[in-house]
Amino acid sequence: MTVVGPFGLSVRDQALEADVQTGLAAVEAGLLDATKSDVPFITEAAQHLVRAGGKRFRPLLVMLASQFGDPYAPGVVPAAVVVELTHLATLYHDDVMDEADVRRGVPSANTRWDNSVAVLTGDFLFARASQILSDLGPDAVRVQAEAFERLVTGQILETVGPRDGRDPVDHYLDVIGGKTGSLIAVSGRFGAMASGADESVIDILTQYGERLGVAFQLADDVLDIASDSHESGKTPGTDLREGIPTLPVLLLRAQAAAHGRPEDLELVELLDGDLADDALLAEALKRLRVHPALEQARRDTVRYAEAARATLAPLPEGYAKSALVELCDAVVHRAG
């Protein structure tokens, strides 16, 4: 058994492992090449997050999905570069909107330079992704455009909040389906498309990616509260401090509104206060870690991961399918 990709995903076949490792190495080289500019400052800014590393979750999914066709097809690696460039571009923009100070263990671009540089660098990455995408054909361009529309819609929905009468939890699931699920769905779709897999396989891997993407984000939500490490790439409590709604907090608020328990109302009041104070943030984390809302968020993470696993049932048995199943387990494991 060997280990590749994010979260220590194990691959039990040497040929598959070699394909995945070779593919990911080619993606890494492709990312560096795609972020070069004739202007040295642009290269530095564009490669800031590339060089900071990351899980490369989306390229990994492209590589695994390509195993259901020809994994050596010329469009596979460029497709993986496109989805990772798109993801990286959204991180530059997210950090501006969230006023984040750190990303992947290094100062965020908006902190190192300023908001304008961060936004424009994100735009530069989108442009480079589009250039690569244009060589993959009109179908790939359409798929990416539809996913990008969903991604932006999800961000807008998060920004404006739920409309009157809308359940905040349902609204949030729509948000992350757009912001996270859409691009991970495209990762599965592009890997299958670029490898020439059957249309039925393409559809299955798209649905799988969508459901796994939601589980992936819910696991991050849990990690923001439950983790004492940097498993999520952020300091625990980052989302709490920045006031970003996450599933455990939304579930807590729903329980406080429904039942009015004094301890829940007190915790909500704490979360609504100034969590810039390290002691107050530590107290909020301590209380949330033992609250039933966190366990409910874990169960919801498992539910989406199990739905992703069930989607794979019609695919032929083999090491690639086993790796996709294990990817579901790895996402759940992150959430504890």
Side-chain angles (χ1 to χ4, degrees):
M1 181 186 299
T2 52
V3 176
V4 298
F7 333 129
L9 174 68
S10 61
V11 173
R12 294 174 172 81
D13 177 69
Q14 289 185 347
L16 175 57
E17 185 217 351
D19 285 350
V20 171
Q21 294 282 24
T22 300
L24 290 176
V27 170
E28 212 63 30
L31 289 171
L32 290 173
D33 187 59
T35 48
K36 288 178 183 175
S37 167
D38 293 336
V39 180
F41 176 77
I42 295 177
T43 301
E44 181 185 8
Q47 292 186 351
H48 180 62
L49 289 185
V50 174
R51 294 187 181 280
K55 293 179 283 290
R56 304 294 190 250
F57 181 80
R58 293 155 188 81
L60 173 64
L61 183 51
V62 174
M63 294 301 132
L64 292 175
S66 73
Q67 292 290 321
F68 295 90
D70 175 9
Y72 311 112
V76 172
V77 168
V81 172
V82 165
V83 292
E84 188 67 9
L85 281 176
T86 304
H87 172 58
L88 289 170
T90 66
L91 297 184
Y92 281 84
H93 289 183
D94 280 352
D95 286 344
V96 170
M97 289 184 286
D98 299 338
E99 299 180 353
D101 295 326
V102 176
R103 170 70 69 174
R104 295 182 172 175
V106 299
S108 60
N110 48 298
T111 298
R112 181 169 176 178
W113 294 288
D114 58 32
N115 284 348
S116 295
V117 168
V119 170
L120 291 169
T121 302
D123 292 345
F124 176 81
L125 295 182
F126 284 132
R128 285 295 173 88
S130 297
Q131 288 178 17
I132 298 169
L133 189 67
S134 66
D135 291 330
L136 299 179
D139 287 344
V141 172
R142 175 182 51 78
V143 167
Q144 174 79 349
E146 290 172 352
F148 192 52
E149 178 185 349
R150 287 191 59 207
L151 195 157
V152 174
T153 298
Q155 183 62 69
I156 292 172
L157 288 174
E158 180 179 65
T159 302
V160 302
R163 65 179 183 272
D164 289 344
R166 181 84 197 280
D167 178 16
V169 172
D170 288 343
H171 172 83
Y172 179 65
L173 292 173
D174 282 347
V175 166
I176 63 176
K179 282 189 62 177
T180 305
S182 62
L183 195 56
I184 294 179
V186 165
S187 301
R189 187 171 193 86
F190 272 177
M193 282 176 60
S195 70
D198 291 343
E199 193 64 39
S200 60
V201 172
I202 294 173
D203 289 342
I204 287 169
L205 291 170
T206 303
Q207 293 175 43
Y208 166 82
E210 177 88 20
R211 293 166 181 172
L212 188 68
V214 174
F216 181 84
Q217 181 57 56
L218 296 184
D220 263 5
D221 287 1
V222 171
L223 277 173
D224 186 64
I225 293 167
S227 176
D228 286 319
S229 68
H230 295 281
E231 294 171 78
S232 63
K234 300 181 297 184
T235 302
T238 296
D239 290 340
L240 286 184
R241 175 166 275 167
E242 295 173 359
I244 298 171
T246 60
L247 185 62
V249 173
L250 292 172
L251 293 172
L252 163 68
R253 293 183 185 279
Q255 292 179 26
H259 307 294
R261 288 187 292 266
E263 60 270 27
D264 290 352
L265 295 172
E266 184 179 322
L267 180 50
V268 168
E269 184 177 355
L270 176 61
L271 294 176
D272 288 339
D274 183 7
L275 294 181
D277 184 298
D278 288 344
L280 292 178
L281 179 63
E283 179 64 21
L285 285 170
K286 178 182 175 181
R287 295 190 188 187
L288 278 168
R289 283 169 179 166
V290 296
H291 196 279
L294 184 61
E295 186 55 38
Q296 178 60 54
R298 283 195 176 100
R299 289 196 295 270
D300 287 339
T301 303
V302 172
R303 179 165 57 87
Y304 275 94
E306 289 297 326
R309 183 205 302 268
T311 306
L312 298 171
L315 293 180
E317 297 300 324
Y319 291 116
K321 180 177 178 179
S322 296
L324 292 174
V325 168
E326 186 160 332
L327 204 51
C328 298
D329 296 337
V331 166
V332 169
H333 177 72
R334 296 174 71 231

